Amino acid sequence: MPTDRDSMAANDNTRRMVILSVWAVVLLGLPLWWKTTRVYRAELPYDSIDQWNQWKACQPKFPIRVNLHLSETEQQQSGRNPELSDVTQGVTRRFQELNTANGVKESLLAIEFIAGKPWTGSINKDITEHTSTVPGTYDFYISPSNVTHASIRSQRQGFIQVQSWNTDHIIDTIVETSSAVFGSEERTIRQLLDTNEDTQGVRKVHDQLKTVKYAPGYQLTFSLFSGDASNGVREWKMQEVIHAYLAPFIKTMSTVSKFTIESQIQHYASLAFTPQMDYSSQEHYLTPDALPNFINAAEWSLASTVSSLPSLNFLTYVPKPSESPLVIKTGPGASKSSTNSFLIPRWGGVAILNRDIDRTKRSEEHPEVITVQDLEPVMRVFLTQLRDLMGVTDLSTTTQSSSSFPIVFHKSLNEAPTTWELDNLLRRRSAENLVDSLATISSLARLVRKTPNMVVLDHIQKDVTEALRDIGRSCEHLSRQEYVEALAASRDGLVKSETAFFDPTMVSMLYFPDEHKYAIYMPLFVPISVPLLMSLLREVKRLKEKKKQAQMDKDSQGHDDHDIQHDKQE
């Protein structure tokens, strides 16, 4: 029969097995719990990002080819025939000396001057025969004249007339013309790609003045706001105006960005304030200080159709008769604005259209219709504003201020960007996209490093990797003078970098620090862990006491055996 001692031993073994089983479950479950509750973080290519930030992976270059053509007829007549090879080598050498003097080790606009075919002297013939269709490739035609001046035509051509027909003067004139045409762009791109944070800060402040951030597409919203119904406005011929004035601009700019267009009319759109009155001219006027409050956001509906594209708004305001004519000027007696419009940076533009108060002076057939002729000056203003918002550089302002002789830059008749302006925009937008993409990826990398609990899924890692690959492709296209392809690759990189940065899965754990975990799991584990720990400690204590008791029993038994043996010997 089992004794009480045996029963106690069985109970002890059962108790130990229960405790060990519970602790085994806990110890085996901890790794599983850690694995299932940890934040998944795919590894980002930090080394590649750091290399790109210093332009170690690839230094963007913007090659430009300039074909030089000397007047063949004038060479034969003058008796002094400058060698085209000497002119080409001299221009290249002079450009290198100019860069060294300005502290520029290597020009980002890698201008290569090439000896072209002799110029026959016929402008019309050469325009049709030698027009370049490759962005970044230009033709300069040089001929003698009584006065030194340059004429930059729209089709990637420049005509330079030199007063002194000798090699040195020809070289100086070409260098000065090239510096005036490309110098401002070189400085802008150098500031864009500069890794110095102070320089980037200056650039960002400058860019925020007018130009909108680059996007693959934009939505243009043209709105007509009428003060009240008494001004007779019921309809405007916006569709015809867009076809007549805006279509050439959109077609030319399609290489850079796409556009969607919509229009709307809203009546009873009164101002939020009363314009001031100039009794000397019988005009109502707005001062520049009042222009920021011109848009009555509380009552004017500027919402357009749902679109993911950035929106640019162009607003035509027709004042009510009691506030007409409405002009913009600094005060009574001051000269009024010639365009009667103003630009809102990165938002759009506003133009005020005054209609004759006397209905008898309007069109007798359709007095309520704003015709194409009425909208022509307004649309020309909007085109100028759109050029500024899209970042189209007016090269006539940059060339004229940096040359010692007149440089005439010919604009297109329809206000569309010329080929020179379009090439400038392609190069500059490519540089902006590269910088913005890297800035977004670098911000993402810093954020992930500083926030251990942020989720980084595999598709985010893929977007970052592909964005860096697109940046590399853009850099390679730039080095090969493939500016359209370079812009497309930089656009892909910009879209993927922003997709990764604004991914919603990354924000889910952004505000979930370790303190929140403790607050959630402590009420669950502490009540369970205390009995487990106490039972484990008690069991350990019992084992120690049992071991000690067994040792004492063994020592006592040994002592008794020794006494019995001693008694037998006696």
Side-chain angles (χ1 to χ4, degrees):
M1 292 180 64
T3 62
D4 294 339
R5 187 181 184 91
D6 295 336
S7 299
M8 292 179 61
N11 292 334
D12 291 341
N13 292 334
T14 303
R15 186 178 61 253
R16 293 191 192 104
M17 290 300 297
V18 171
I19 295 174
L20 289 175
S21 300
V22 174
W23 274 103
V25 172
V26 172
L27 294 177
L28 293 175
L30 279 175
L32 181 61
W33 168 78
W34 179 261
K35 180 70 176 177
T36 56
T37 58
R38 75 183 182 94
V39 175
Y40 181 77
R41 291 166 64 86
E43 187 68 18
L44 297 181
Y46 296 109
D47 294 337
S48 299
I49 294 173
D50 294 337
Q51 289 181 357
W52 273 109
N53 280 330
Q54 300 299 324
W55 299 116
K56 294 180 180 179
C58 176
Q59 175 65 50
K61 293 292 182 183
F62 302 83
I64 292 176
R65 294 168 58 94
V66 179
N67 299 313
L68 302 179
H69 309 270
L70 291 181
S71 174
E72 186 180 45
T73 304
E74 294 296 342
Q75 286 181 352
Q76 296 173 354
Q77 295 178 355
S78 61
R80 295 178 296 173
N81 302 325
E83 292 291 338
L84 185 56
S85 60
D86 295 339
V87 172
T88 304
Q89 296 174 4
V91 171
T92 303
R93 183 175 60 255
R94 193 71 56 84
F95 244 93
Q96 295 175 351
E97 295 173 353
L98 186 62
N99 289 333
T100 303
N102 294 331
V104 178
K105 294 182 180 180
E106 190 175 6
S107 177
L108 295 177
L109 294 183
I111 305 178
E112 180 184 6
F113 294 94
I114 302 173
K117 296 181 180 180
W119 180 27
T120 61
S122 174
I123 294 179
N124 294 330
K125 183 178 180 180
D126 286 313
I127 285 178
T128 57
E129 290 184 356
H130 300 129
T131 299
S132 173
T133 58
V134 180
T137 298
Y138 309 97
D139 293 282
F140 280 177
Y141 298 92
I142 303 98
S143 62
S145 178
N146 296 329
V147 179
T148 299
H149 70 277
S151 176
I152 307 300
R153 300 297 179 96
S154 60
Q155 298 299 322
R156 298 187 178 93
Q157 294 175 329
F159 294 88
I160 304 174
Q161 294 186 323
V162 185
Q163 185 175 11
S164 299
W165 191 248
N166 58 73
T167 301
D168 291 338
H169 194 67
I170 292 174
I171 291 174
D172 292 339
T173 306
I174 295 174
V175 169
E176 189 170 351
T177 302
S178 302
S179 299
V181 173
F182 301 111
S184 176
E185 182 182 355
E186 164 76 23
R187 291 187 294 271
T188 300
I189 293 179
R190 186 168 294 278
Q191 289 180 355
L192 284 169
L193 301 181
D194 196 343
T195 56
N196 188 313
E197 294 183 359
D198 295 336
T199 306
Q200 288 185 353
V202 174
R203 174 184 62 82
K204 290 177 182 178
V205 172
H206 175 73
D207 287 349
Q208 288 176 354
L209 295 178
K210 291 183 180 179
T211 307
V212 297
K213 184 180 179 180
Y214 176 80
Y218 298 91
Q219 179 170 299
L220 306 182
T221 302
F222 293 90
S223 304
L224 175 64
F225 283 78
S226 175
D228 59 23
S230 60
N231 56 23
V233 176
R234 298 293 183 272
E235 180 185 354
W236 63 337
K237 298 295 184 179
M238 179 50 64
Q239 185 173 357
E240 292 84 347
V241 171
I242 290 174
H243 180 74
Y245 297 101
L246 195 61
F249 180 92
I250 293 176
K251 181 179 179 181
T252 305
M253 287 291 294
S254 61
T255 308
V256 180
S257 298
K258 306 298 182 182
F259 296 90
T260 60
I261 304 175
E262 66 175 13
S263 63
Q264 63 176 345
I265 300 178
Q266 181 173 339
H267 301 286
Y268 299 101
S270 59
L271 298 175
F273 57 91
T274 302
Q276 302 182 52
M277 181 66 182
D278 185 358
Y279 293 98
S280 61
S281 60
Q282 295 299 312
E283 292 176 335
H284 300 267
Y285 68 92
L286 303 174
T287 60
D289 296 338
L291 297 182
N293 301 319
F294 184 88
I295 303 296
N296 189 355
E299 299 181 6
W300 295 3
S301 175
L302 294 171
S304 58
T305 56
V306 177
S307 174
S308 60
L309 300 177
S311 179
L312 295 177
N313 298 275
F314 296 94
L315 191 152
T316 303
Y317 181 73
V318 180
K320 52 188 176 182
S322 60
E323 296 177 351
S324 182
L326 182 62
V327 298
I328 300 174
K329 59 183 179 180
T330 57
S335 58
K336 58 186 178 181
S337 170
S338 59
T339 60
N340 211 27
S341 63
F342 60 94
L343 176 72
I344 302 177
R346 296 199 167 193
W347 184 87
V350 177
I352 301 175
L353 177 61
N354 291 301
R355 306 197 76 200
D356 200 335
I357 300 177
D358 189 357
R359 290 178 177 269
T360 60
K361 296 182 180 180
R362 300 181 190 173
S363 172
E364 295 181 357
E365 296 181 358
H366 301 285
E368 72 283 357
V369 177
I370 299 180
T371 63
V372 175
Q373 291 75 16
D374 295 334
L375 290 172
E376 178 182 358
V378 174
M379 184 54 65
R380 293 195 180 278
V381 169
F382 285 159
L383 276 173
T384 303
Q385 294 174 343
L386 184 58
R387 285 172 58 94
D388 292 337
L389 291 169
M390 295 303 302
V392 179
T393 303
D394 188 357
L395 296 182
S396 61
T397 59
T398 60
T399 56
Q400 193 64 34
S401 59
S402 57
S403 61
S404 61
F405 52 85
I407 298 180
V408 179
F409 187 86
H410 294 265
K411 295 183 179 182
S412 58
L413 298 178
N414 51 21
E415 294 294 333
T418 64
T419 53
W420 293 81
E421 294 173 334
L422 185 61
D423 293 353
N424 179 296
L425 187 62
L426 285 172
R427 291 188 286 264
R428 188 158 43 82
R429 285 300 199 182
S430 297
E432 290 178 4
N433 289 347
L434 293 179
V435 173
D436 291 340
S437 300
L438 288 176
T440 303
I441 294 174
S442 300
S443 299
L444 176 61
R446 288 193 300 269
L447 187 62
V448 170
R449 282 172 173 171
K450 292 180 179 179
T451 312
N453 297 302
M454 176 177 284
V455 176
V456 182
L457 299 181
D458 291 333
H459 70 273
I460 297 174
Q461 179 193 49
K462 180 181 178 182
D463 287 339
V464 172
T465 303
E466 291 182 352
L468 292 176
R469 188 181 300 116
D470 291 332
I471 293 173
R473 287 196 304 112
S474 178
C475 193
E476 293 175 0
H477 285 304
L478 287 175
S479 64
R480 295 196 294 263
Q481 197 182 328
E482 299 170 352
Y483 293 127
V484 177
E485 293 80 1
L487 178 64
S490 67
R491 177 173 57 228
D492 295 339
L494 179 63
V495 172
K496 291 174 183 175
S497 63
E498 292 183 344
T499 301
F501 188 85
F502 294 105
D503 192 278
T505 61
M506 301 189 66
V507 187
S508 59
M509 295 290 287
L510 181 58
Y511 302 104
F512 194 64
D514 293 334
E515 291 80 2
H516 289 188
K517 294 181 181 178
Y518 301 149
I520 291 174
Y521 290 115
M522 283 183 67
L524 176 64
F525 288 122
V526 169
I528 300 176
S529 61
V530 170
L532 288 176
L533 288 174
M534 293 302 295
S535 61
L536 180 63
L537 291 176
R538 282 196 301 267
E539 193 60 33
V540 171
K541 184 178 179 180
R542 289 193 186 98
L543 289 173
K544 287 182 178 180
E545 292 177 352
K546 184 176 180 180
K547 185 177 181 182
K548 184 178 179 181
Q549 185 64 35
Q551 184 65 33
M552 291 175 64
D553 293 342
K554 183 178 180 181
D555 294 342
S556 177
Q557 183 66 32
H559 183 69
D560 292 342
D561 292 343
H562 181 269
D563 291 343
I564 294 172
Q565 185 178 4
H566 180 70
D567 292 339
K568 287 182 178 180
Q569 290 177 356
E570 289 181 352

